[in-house]
Amino acid sequence: MTFSEAESKLFCSVCIAFCASSDSNPFTLGMNSWKHVYQRIAEHEDTFYHAKSVDAFLYHEHRANIPHMLFSSAREIRRKEVMERHRVLERIIETIKCIGKNSMSYRSHTNESSYTLENNNVSHGNFLEILCLISKFDDVLRHHLENVINKSKNRLESNSSITKGRGNLITFISKTTVTYIIQILKSLIQEKIVADIKESGIYSIQIDSTQDVSVKDQLSIIIRYVTDRVEEHLLSMVESHSGEGRNLFELTEKTLLLHELDIANCISDS
């Protein structure tokens, strides 16, 4: 901090020198509110623009110019790691799409841990089994799985597996990652269906409910509309807590509103 006797104001020297003009704040313009001054300084030090200014100052002190930051060996290694993970994730996403397209189950009841993947005598579930199969002919996936298996074994041997969470072990093959990708794919499919429905203008709707394995009622909402042909698609599955007509209508209406579909354009239902 710097104090100006002429203006009787307090300034942040680092922010004055390195803060963007759009990030002007009391400590670049001059702070002269002395009530709770220490609290104001602490709040300023926690701001995003002050952190950016400090980073810029440290880069300047270390003579870290743009070419150096872009092409240094450390950044080049990091860039290669990111590209490699992108390639791995592409193969994982395509596997998930293939399983969904063919209405296959993803998971197994057991043997889903990474350190068990070398055991060919047991089933690891469709998702992991397909990845293992691809890895036999694909170096990118083979190197990734080998790395994941080795790290998982080391973690198990060091007894860190008894702790909750996966720590810093990034595998991209966990059930959490699969769920994330499925949710993203679901959103993309829904966006495409909704866009086609809006272009069609009018639609009909069909709802039905059934119990899943956890004995919860799942309401299926199916939309039928016309493009250059008759289309019929599952728009959503919604958990239903009551089979009463009012409850089913409210769930359906809520789903249509969520996807910005005008219920007035629904010309029939069943």
Side-chain angles (χ1 to χ4, degrees), residues 162-192:
I162 61 175
T163 61
K164 292 185 177 180
R166 56 172 173 77
N168 62 352
L169 182 58
I170 300 174
T171 68
F172 297 125
I173 62 174
S174 68
K175 60 183 180 182
T176 304
T177 300
V178 172
T179 300
Y180 283 151
I181 295 174
I182 291 174
Q183 291 296 329
I184 292 169
L185 293 174
K186 182 200 76 169
S187 298
L188 292 173
I189 292 170
Q190 286 177 326
E191 287 175 10
K192 178 65 171 66

Side-chain angles (χ1 to χ4, degrees), residues 22-80:
S22 59
D23 291 333
S24 59
N25 59 80
F27 285 91
T28 56
L29 302 174
M31 200 282 294
N32 59 358
S33 176
W34 305 109
K35 188 176 181 180
H36 306 302
V37 61
Y38 294 110
Q39 181 180 342
R40 299 287 175 268
I41 294 173
E43 290 171 351
H44 172 72
E45 290 176 342
D46 285 337
T47 60
F48 176 66
Y49 45 77
H50 177 73
K52 286 199 302 183
S53 300
V54 171
D55 286 343
F57 168 72
L58 294 175
Y59 282 133
H60 173 73
E61 285 293 295
H62 291 89
R63 304 293 189 269
N65 54 32
I66 297 300
H68 173 77
M69 290 189 289
L70 286 177
F71 302 109
S72 66
S73 58
R75 284 190 171 268
E76 183 64 19
I77 292 172
R78 175 60 179 165
R79 186 187 68 82
K80 288 181 178 179

Side-chain angles (χ1 to χ4, degrees), residues 252-270:
T252 304
E253 182 183 39
K254 184 178 179 181
T255 302
L256 294 176
L257 290 174
L258 178 66
H259 295 289
E260 299 180 346
L261 292 173
D262 189 349
I263 197 170
N265 292 331
C266 178
I267 59 173
S268 67
D269 60 82
S270 63

Side-chain angles (χ1 to χ4, degrees), residues 77-129:
I77 292 172
R78 175 60 179 165
R79 186 187 68 82
K80 288 181 178 179
E81 288 179 350
V82 171
M83 292 302 296
E84 193 71 14
R85 288 182 175 181
H86 281 181
R87 295 170 69 189
V88 170
L89 204 52
E90 284 176 352
R91 288 151 174 78
I92 290 173
I93 291 172
E94 290 301 320
T95 300
I96 292 173
K97 287 167 62 178
C98 176
I99 292 174
K101 179 181 178 181
N102 290 279
S103 302
M104 299 160 60
S105 62
Y106 285 86
R107 301 183 57 194
S108 170
H109 294 294
T110 55
N111 305 309
E112 289 188 315
S113 300
S114 301
Y115 56 82
T116 68
L117 291 181
E118 287 183 321
N119 186 353
N120 295 320
N121 297 320
V122 296
S123 172
H124 306 283
N126 290 325
F127 172 65
L128 293 176
E129 288 291 346

